[in-house]
Amino acid sequence: MFRGPAALAALAGVAAAAVVLSVAELLGAFFTARATPLIALGSTFIDFTPPWLKDFAIATFGTNDKAALFAGMGLTIFVLACVLGVVAYRRWALGAAGVLLMGALIVAGVVTRAGVRPLDAVPSLVGTAAGLVVLRLLVSRLWRLRAFPASPADVAAKAPERPAASRRAFVAATGITAAAAGIAATGGRLLSAARSNVAQARESLRLPAPVLPAAAVPAGVQSATPGVTPWLTPGRDFYRIDTALSVPEIKAEEWELRVHGLVEEEVRLTFQDLLDADLVESHVTLTCVSNPVGGNLAGNARWLGLPLREVLKRARPTAGADMVLSTSIDGFSASTPLEVLQDGRDAMLAIGMNGEPLPLEHGYPVRMVVPGLYGFVSATKWVVDLEVTRFADSKAYWTQRGWSERGPIKTMARVEVPKSFAVVPAGRVAVGGTAWAQTRGITKVEVQIDDGDWAEAALSDEASVDTWRQWSFDWDAKPGSHYLKVRATDGTGEVQTEKRADPVPDGASGWQSVMVTVE
Ligand SMILES: Nc1nc2c(c(=O)[nH]1)N[C@H]1C(S)=C(S)[C@@H](COP(=O)(O)O)O[C@H]1N2
Ligand SMILES: [Mo]
């Protein structure tokens, strides 16, 4: 199929697709950022992701899952564009219908996104029209290559050109189209970056001091073993997991939170209300339910915010309510047990992370932070709505997709040094890592070499039961291949379960085992 004119027709299809996307990107600078075709289609794809696929994507690509999605989409669009180009060349009406169908799909993907206005369909509509015109112009040139078969009768009437010259003209036209598309796309990027000043506003935002500062961090929280994760995770190194292909950009002065549902009084909070409130600061370790045993989807930061129990005190939940459904501006939602938000732990509407406003990717201007629960049921970023409701009445984003409706964090110990499959010299080997059981705390970490006895590791200082705790262990390593296993005991005396479980539906469990070769 892809020989001679077909290959050129496929090329025309790809150039036309580039025009659709780049024109939409350029115009998109004047509309909601999440409404460009690629972002909207990718987001829709993510929303239809079943739990096994999300789990697979994170296990395979980790926090590069979005790059992998874009690569997959790019490939799919490329193939579709090739096919449509060939079809348009052979039967124009059919090809044009295909392009219009794609345009309709894109528009449907755009307008069904949360927080997107119907007007946001304009860039996709104009892009599709421009793509169709370009496809027609390029395909017409191909028809004029009379040496090729399949040239429609209406074009055959025109004066024949010399094939070599026409082919050159065609390739030139395609090249110019592609270059123009590239310039338009880049221009669109630069333009939307210039038009958005949320990042600058964040830079110049000054946070108030907390009325209740975080408890002092003991000097010995860091593991004695070199190479173990820093106890406090800087914002730029903090793992990022969310369904947002394009980070929502919310102006702090436009942010508003609505607290409603089973409450005696509906409450509305502005960002200024938060700045004026009695804020607290606390160290809390966040963990993702998708974190595999030994994985690194966890981070520890100092959060500044308004305790959610204060917000709920003002709204006064009515009898029968047992859940708070928090929703982000882009339609993600999490179901958090009401009781957890009232039991005295440092659950908060956070505006600060490690002494700075929240980074855009971590929820600027406001997110939820709840010690002890996986992020998917508690840590809503870019939060704009809290509905007090009942588990029996509402299901959160990931619960609708097969994950659990509740997600207390499971006790977990991780070996970070040495790395799996490391080769180390015989003798004393420093072993170390991190363990967590938020709200219960870690009281013991044990290491087992091959089938030997479990030996206690040295625990670093504990900052609070809501933060992770590091450990170190001196290993007298003998030559050969060895397995190192680790397990933690939490503050209730419970030993981390050996039973292996996948992340789906409520978090991975099991003991991490690391193979090390000693020379
Ligand atoms: N708006 C929004 N908030 C979200 C998510 C999301 O997809 N969208 N993902 C949640 C999940 S699954 C986790 S683990 C945490 C991760 O927070 P982080 O990216 O700041 O580490 O955010 C939570 N909050
Ligand atoms: Mo997560």
Side-chain angles (χ1 to χ4, degrees):
M1 181 185 174
F2 284 96
R3 268 182 301 130
L8 295 184
L11 201 61
V14 173
V19 167
V20 173
L21 297 177
S22 58
V23 166
E25 181 78 37
L26 183 60
L27 287 180
F30 301 95
F31 295 82
T32 307
R34 277 167 289 119
T36 56
L38 282 183
I39 303 290
L41 287 183
S43 307
T44 305
F45 181 84
I46 291 176
D47 285 350
F48 284 103
T49 302
W52 62 266
L53 184 56
K54 181 214 182 197
D55 192 27
F56 166 82
I58 287 182
T60 314
F61 307 114
T63 45
N64 290 326
D65 54 346
K66 293 191 174 90
L69 173 64
F70 278 125
M73 280 173 56
L75 197 65
T76 310
I77 291 172
F78 180 80
V79 171
L80 270 176
C82 288
V83 171
L84 278 178
V86 174
V87 172
Y89 172 67
R90 301 231 164 112
R91 288 188 56 193
W92 170 252
L94 203 59
V99 173
L100 290 178
L101 182 68
M102 289 298 139
L105 281 177
I106 293 174
V107 168
V110 167
V111 295
T112 51
R113 303 305 310 157
V116 163
R117 306 153 302 165
L119 207 61
D120 287 323
V122 167
S124 304
L125 286 171
V126 177
T128 305
L132 199 58
V133 169
V134 164
L135 185 63
R136 173 75 195 198
L137 291 176
L138 291 176
V139 165
S140 304
R141 282 188 177 275
L142 286 182
W143 289 337
R144 264 177 251 140
L145 294 178
R146 294 197 56 221
F148 293 160
S151 69
D154 63 319
V155 195
K158 294 193 177 152
E161 291 177 33
R162 280 180 35 241
S166 323
R167 188 190 276 114
R168 245 181 279 122
F170 169 83
V171 172
T174 316
I176 290 170
T177 307
I183 291 170
T186 313
R189 279 290 154 93
L190 296 175
L191 202 58
S192 40
R195 283 175 55 87
S196 139
N197 36 28
V198 171
Q200 282 157 278
R202 174 190 172 274
E203 290 284 326
S204 48
L205 181 69
R206 293 284 156 268
L207 295 179
V211 286
L212 195 66
V217 176
V221 288
Q222 187 64 39
S223 168
T225 301
V228 168
T229 312
W231 180 81
L232 189 76
T233 318
R236 65 180 178 282
D237 298 336
F238 210 92
Y239 80 98
R240 174 185 165 201
I241 291 287
D242 53 59
T243 60
L245 274 183
S246 142
V247 174
E249 299 200 344
I250 309 177
K251 297 197 171 79
E253 67 273 17
E254 285 173 12
W255 179 85
E256 195 184 36
L257 179 77
R258 179 169 168 244
V259 189
H260 62 110
L262 302 176
V263 293
E264 283 179 28
E265 192 181 323
E266 188 170 314
V267 173
R268 280 175 190 267
L269 285 174
T270 63
F271 195 72
Q272 191 60 46
D273 292 333
L274 292 185
L275 295 178
D276 295 341
D278 288 346
L279 302 183
V280 302
E281 207 166 31
S282 174
H283 287 98
V284 177
T285 300
L286 296 192
T287 311
C288 182
V289 68
S290 297
N291 192 49
V293 172
N296 53 15
L297 300 179
N300 183 48
R302 193 171 84 245
W303 306 96
L304 171 75
L306 177 64
L308 274 155
R309 62 175 173 280
E310 300 300 333
V311 177
L312 290 166
K313 233 183 239 166
R314 283 168 59 179
R316 299 195 304 279
T318 54
D322 65 358
M323 187 256 272
V324 173
L325 188 76
S326 51
T327 306
S328 68
I329 192 149
D330 62 339
F332 167 87
S333 61
S335 54
T336 311
L338 178 60
E339 134 210 286
V340 159
L341 301 178
Q342 296 175 315
D343 69 2
R345 72 182 80 183
D346 287 329
M348 59 171 104
L349 283 175
I351 62 170
M353 181 182 191
N354 295 336
E356 283 178 27
L358 295 178
L360 265 51
E361 324 68 270
H362 294 290
Y364 180 88
V366 185
R367 74 174 301 168
M368 300 224 320
V369 169
V370 181
L373 302 185
Y374 288 120
F376 82 117
V377 288
S378 69
T380 306
K381 304 188 274 189
W382 316 291
V383 64
V384 291
D385 190 281
L386 299 183
E387 185 192 0
V388 180
T389 176
R390 306 186 318 152
F391 277 103
D393 295 339
S394 306
K395 299 262 165 290
Y397 186 92
W398 284 114
T399 309
Q400 292 166 15
R401 288 161 180 78
W403 294 73
S404 170
E405 64 179 16
R406 290 164 199 259
I409 295 173
K410 297 178 181 178
T411 302
M412 185 59 66
R414 180 170 85 183
V415 182
E416 293 163 18
V417 180
K419 297 248 174 287
S420 214
F421 306 115
V423 180
V424 299
R428 295 183 80 77
V429 173
V431 180
T434 305
W436 58 78
Q438 290 92 318
T439 68
R440 304 180 295 279
I442 294 291
T443 50
K444 198 199 278 186
V445 168
E446 296 163 288
V447 177
Q448 183 190 43
I449 311 293
D450 301 320
D451 293 322
D453 293 333
W454 285 95
E456 264 191 62
L459 283 177
S460 304
D461 285 345
E462 176 177 75
S464 91
V465 292
D466 295 338
T467 57
W468 58 21
R469 189 163 187 186
Q470 300 200 325
W471 57 272
S472 55
F473 181 79
D474 259 338
W475 174 30
D476 185 14
K478 306 272 185 306
S481 265
H482 299 286
Y483 282 96
L484 253 112
K485 274 195 200 127
V486 66
R487 70 180 185 195
T489 301
D490 74 13
T492 70
E494 191 149 316
V495 180
Q496 176 183 343
T497 180
E498 181 182 9
K499 206 169 147 242
R500 284 246 154 209
D502 283 334
V504 186
D506 63 359
S509 68
W511 297 337
Q512 190 189 0
S513 177
V514 171
M515 201 200 76
V516 179
T517 304
V518 180
E519 289 182 336

